[in-house]
């Protein structure tokens, strides 16, 4: 069977396996194996372990306003933070980029913050949090401190909750094994078996 055809079949079967077990719709078999929604999952779980309730921004009534949607359009993912009784506590803006987040993103969040404060949407300590896969530049760190914007890098979340970091490392190793086995011309069954051990039970264990 041609290598390209085999790779397509492998990705299809592994994709089905991961979607059923982890809700992942697509995978990347590139140099650094990562799930496309990996940082979103990590961010959600991180705040859940802190006793908060992160929900999709679409559930937030002010998001229906076109000018607010427009300001959030350039962000990868935005979550709304709530507490256990449903109070709105803040926004979490996720930057799942392969580069550090610079000062320009700080300016964007600051403008959003001013808008929501002026419209009396962001009141009573409403938080603005930015999460980054690769971290933040020194310039945005200083700016964020002055503007009361919270910055959280991926490594900080996995350091605070090591079980989350371990789960992600295992999941990435499974994807690395998929790529390596594909290069070594292993059977499809062996490639799928490389991912099978990292199933939903491990995810539940991290969340609990």
């Amino acid at each position: 069977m041609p290598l390209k055809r085999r790779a397509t079949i492998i990705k299809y079967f592994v994709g089905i396996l991961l979607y059923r077990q982890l809700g992942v719709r697509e995978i990347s078999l590139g140099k650094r194996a990562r799930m496309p929604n990996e940082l979103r999952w990590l961010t959600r779980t991180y705040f859940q372990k802190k006793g908060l309730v992160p929900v999709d921004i679409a559930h937030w009534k002010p998001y229906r306003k076109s000018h607010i949607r427009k300001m959030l359009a350039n962000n990868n993912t935005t979550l709304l933070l709530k507490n256990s009784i449903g109070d709105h506590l803040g926004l979490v803006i996720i930057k799942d980029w392969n580069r550090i987040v610079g000062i320009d993103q700080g300016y964007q969040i600051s403008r959003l913050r001013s808008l929501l404060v002026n419209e009396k949407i962001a009141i009573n300590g409403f938080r603005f949090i930015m999460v980054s896969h690769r971290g933040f530049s020194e310039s945005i760190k200083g700016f964020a401190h002055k503007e009361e914007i919270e910055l959280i890098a991926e490594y900080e979340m996995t350091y605070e909750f090591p079980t989350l970091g371990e789960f992600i490392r295992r999941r990435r190793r499974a994807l690395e094994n998929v790529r390596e086995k594909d290069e070594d011309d292993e059977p499809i069954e062996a490639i799928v078996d490389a991912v099978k051990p990292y199933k939903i039970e491990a995810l539940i264990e991290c969340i609990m």
Side-chain angles (χ1 to χ4, degrees):
M1 182 185 298
L3 182 60
K4 187 175 181 180
R5 176 62 176 164
R6 283 191 61 257
T8 301
I9 294 174
I10 290 165
K11 186 172 181 179
Y12 173 77
F13 278 103
V14 174
I16 290 175
L17 175 66
L18 293 176
Y19 175 68
R20 287 177 177 175
Q21 295 180 344
L22 300 172
V24 175
R25 295 188 179 275
E26 59 178 298
I27 63 173
S28 170
L29 300 182
K31 188 174 182 180
R32 289 193 69 243
R34 293 181 66 238
M35 302 288 187
N37 63 351
E38 185 176 272
L39 186 59
R40 179 187 174 92
W41 171 83
L42 175 61
T43 303
R44 279 183 175 274
T45 309
Y46 173 79
F47 284 107
Q48 286 170 355
K49 291 173 88 62
K50 285 180 165 288
L52 300 174
V53 183
V55 298
D56 191 86
I57 192 66
H59 298 289
W60 190 41
K61 193 173 181 179
Y63 186 69
R64 300 172 189 172
K65 299 180 179 181
S66 60
H67 61 295
I68 293 178
R69 281 202 311 273
K70 186 177 180 180
M71 291 199 73
L72 291 168
N74 293 328
N75 297 302
N76 285 12
T77 307
T78 303
L79 300 176
L80 175 66
L81 273 188
K82 302 168 70 174
N83 59 17
S84 59
I85 60 174
D87 296 328
H88 296 170
L89 304 181
L91 294 178
V92 182
I93 296 171
I94 303 171
K95 298 292 186 182
D96 196 3
W97 297 350
N98 283 322
R99 65 180 189 276
I100 63 173
V101 176
I103 188 66
D104 56 327
Q105 298 303 312
Y107 294 148
Q108 285 189 17
I109 304 302
S110 181
R111 288 194 294 270
L112 174 64
R113 183 175 181 272
S114 298
L115 173 65
L116 298 182
V117 169
N118 291 338
E119 297 194 9
K120 295 182 170 43
I121 296 172
I123 58 175
N124 300 327
F126 195 86
R127 300 166 65 186
F128 290 84
I129 305 167
M130 191 184 300
V131 174
S132 170
H133 168 55
R134 293 293 299 272
F136 303 91
S137 68
E138 291 302 319
S139 57
I140 194 175
K141 289 178 183 178
F143 179 82
H145 179 72
K146 294 177 183 177
E147 294 290 317
E148 298 181 346
I149 300 169
E150 301 174 49
L151 304 179
I152 304 176
E154 179 182 306
Y155 73 86
E156 294 176 299
M157 294 188 286
T158 56
Y159 180 81
E160 185 171 349
F161 296 106
T163 54
L164 297 182
E166 179 58 25
F167 179 79
I168 285 178
R169 283 190 292 274
R170 288 182 179 182
R171 196 163 63 167
R172 287 178 182 174
R173 281 199 297 269
L175 288 180
E176 290 289 345
N177 289 340
V178 169
R179 192 187 72 238
E180 289 171 3
K181 288 179 182 294
D182 180 41
E183 292 171 351
D184 293 340
D185 203 32
E186 288 285 331
I188 290 175
E189 293 79 6
I191 295 169
V192 175
D193 287 341
V195 185
K196 272 186 178 178
Y198 310 113
K199 50 188 177 180
I200 195 64
E201 286 78 5
L203 176 61
I204 295 172
E205 181 182 347
C206 287
I207 296 174
M208 298 300 290

